[in-house]
Amino acid sequence: MSDSILWCREGAHIAILGATGAVGREMIRCVDTLKLPVRKVDLLASARSAGKSLSTPWGSLTVHDAGHFDFRGVDIVLCSAGKSVSLALADRIVSAGALMIDNTSAFRRDPKWPLVVPEVNGHLIALKPGIIANPNCSTIQMVLALKALDDAVGIDDVRVATYQSCSGAGQKGMDALLTETRDALAGHRHDTSAVHARGIAFDVVPQIGAFLDSGFTEEEDKMMFETQKILDRPDLRVCATCVRVPVMRCHSEVVSLNTRKEISVQEAASILDEMPGLRVTDMQSPDAYPTATQAQDHFDTFIGRIRKDPVANHGLIFWIVSDNLLKGAALNAVQIACSAWNQGRMESTHE
Ligand code: A2P
């Protein structure tokens, strides 16, 4: 195994694992839009998809079975095929010398590997064989705002309630929303769902993932742990309630927090608006708050309804919306890839 892949100056050889899925398809688009220089792209999925052709910005490409793929020579593997697939393939990917950017929860808690949102802790990105974990979708959008406020005035504690779209469960999550809604309109309401914790048509479901002994769900536990790790604030108290709503795409959240120092709504709005990747939409007019359908297909994360929380000392409360398939998944992963690649190229030119 080579210790470095800095020699690849003319463009990266990348592989996209889960290329036929909801996030994988967005990864393909983001690689093109962010202009990650590529010299070769391999699309990988399950054996079911092997041999299929996908139309891509680089022409029509054949999908390969990830289980039989030889990762030697690949510089960066973008993974979004589920936790068990990442766990099964990680050793092969890393020992072949590639950087694995993993969108699943498989390695997020492993202290050996960084958990990265480039605008927040991008200094942890390096182009070398190993793993960089891409955080949970609902965590990414929130930590952008928390980082800006924590740097400015310090944050003591955070409470968040999410309104998470069905695409958080992948293509099958979106398919389930459509099928269950059509069936409900035809008079047959599903109490259970093949994908979501309960039937999702015309309902909101306060369960994403299994329940833990603490009473929190897996999704809530991810948000609480990952926020501390990304911000490098193990002392930060975070309390999450995660809810699935019958929205196709984009996650919305209500975040309330206590700051260490007093901060006005106007100051908070300017600090948040200046954070790369964040935009406050309703500074001129209060009804210009963002919504899920408006945020869809955008790279930015949108904030509105910033208010003082009247039941806290230095409390702030706001509404934050982001495209979970983009900044919450594919875009963040590809931003990591671009940053790693550019950094590797700079280092190689200084050798
Ligand atoms: P496939 O289309 O062949 O099933 P989503 O999150 O939208 O459900 O997408 C999941 C992605 O993960 C798809 O590209 C899917 O490929 C891929 N995938 C699922 N199981 C495996 C597996 N065992 N090996 C490789 N890729 C897999």
Side-chain angles (χ1 to χ4, degrees), residues 17-23 44-49 66 80-82 85 169-172:
L17 171 61
T20 53
V23 173
L44 312 177
S46 76
R48 295 180 292 275
S49 302
S80 195
V85 179
Q171 186 59 50
K172 56 190 184 316

Side-chain angles (χ1 to χ4, degrees), residues 66-89:
H68 290 100
F69 187 75
D70 182 353
F71 288 95
R72 279 176 301 179
V74 180
D75 299 311
I76 298 173
V77 185
L78 294 157
C79 303
S80 195
K83 181 179 178 181
S84 58
V85 179
S86 285
L87 285 170
L89 294 180

Side-chain angles (χ1 to χ4, degrees), residues 141 144-145 148 272-273 275-280 300-303 320:
Q141 65 189 74
L144 286 175
L272 291 168
D273 197 53
M275 177 74 182
L278 274 189
R279 265 163 60 191
V280 177
D300 280 331
T301 290
F302 301 98
I303 293 195
I320 181 164

Side-chain angles (χ1 to χ4, degrees), residues 275-296:
M275 177 74 182
L278 274 189
R279 265 163 60 191
V280 177
T281 61
D282 57 358
M283 287 204 275
Q284 309 305 329
S285 158
D287 62 359
Y289 50 78
T291 67
T293 50
Q294 286 171 347
Q296 178 163 336

Side-chain angles (χ1 to χ4, degrees), residues 85-319:
V85 179
S86 285
L87 285 170
L89 294 180
D91 278 352
R92 274 177 48 206
I93 294 171
V94 175
S95 61
L99 170 63
M100 173 176 184
I101 300 173
D102 186 39
N103 190 45
T104 77
S105 62
F107 302 100
R108 291 178 189 153
R109 286 173 190 258
D110 190 333
K112 195 167 152 203
W113 306 119
L115 181 64
V116 173
V117 177
E119 298 88 340
V120 176
N121 59 349
H123 60 281
L124 300 177
I125 299 171
L127 185 65
K128 60 183 183 192
I131 299 171
I132 296 178
N134 204 47
N136 175 259
C137 43
S138 41
T139 309
I140 294 178
Q141 65 189 74
M142 180 174 74
V143 295
L144 286 175
L146 297 187
K147 170 70 176 167
L149 293 170
D150 197 32
D151 283 353
V153 283
I155 295 175
D156 267 338
D157 51 62
V158 183
R159 283 154 305 286
V160 54
T162 69
Y163 304 70
Q164 295 182 227
S165 66
C166 290
S167 56
Q171 186 59 50
K172 56 190 184 316
M174 293 188 274
D175 294 345
L177 172 61
L178 280 181
T179 308
E180 292 174 29
T181 305
R182 279 196 199 108
D183 288 352
L185 287 170
H188 168 62
R189 219 202 90 74
H190 297 255
D191 289 330
T192 58
S193 167
V195 181
H196 306 294
R198 295 266 182 93
I200 194 67
F202 304 109
D203 213 346
V204 294
V205 178
Q207 182 191 355
I208 304 178
F211 284 105
L212 307 176
D213 290 345
S214 59
F216 285 89
T217 60
E218 287 173 330
E219 184 80 355
E220 291 160 353
D221 196 54
K222 282 179 199 171
M223 274 195 96
M224 298 191 286
F225 172 83
E226 292 179 23
T227 299
Q228 293 176 331
K229 179 166 174 177
I230 298 161
L231 293 173
D232 195 20
R233 285 280 316 269
D235 60 313
L236 183 65
R237 291 174 300 162
V238 186
C239 178
T241 303
C242 293
V243 181
R244 185 74 78 203
V245 294
V247 166
M248 193 59 80
R249 184 162 162 164
C250 297
H251 293 348
S252 309
E253 299 172 357
V254 173
V255 179
S256 43
L257 51 86
N258 275 305
T259 54
R260 291 204 180 126
K261 285 192 241 155
E262 180 70 31
I263 180 172
S264 71
V265 168
Q266 280 69 27
E267 283 170 321
S270 328
I271 288 165
L272 291 168
D273 197 53
E274 277 164 25
M275 177 74 182
L278 274 189
R279 265 163 60 191
V280 177
T281 61
D282 57 358
M283 287 204 275
Q284 309 305 329
S285 158
D287 62 359
Y289 50 78
T291 67
T293 50
Q294 286 171 347
Q296 178 163 336
D297 260 336
H298 288 278
F299 281 3
D300 280 331
T301 290
F302 301 98
I303 293 195
R305 306 231 40 224
I306 306 171
R307 287 155 287 155
K308 297 293 275 184
D309 182 345
V311 300
N313 254 351
H314 298 313
L316 269 184
I317 181 161
F318 55 85
W319 172 249

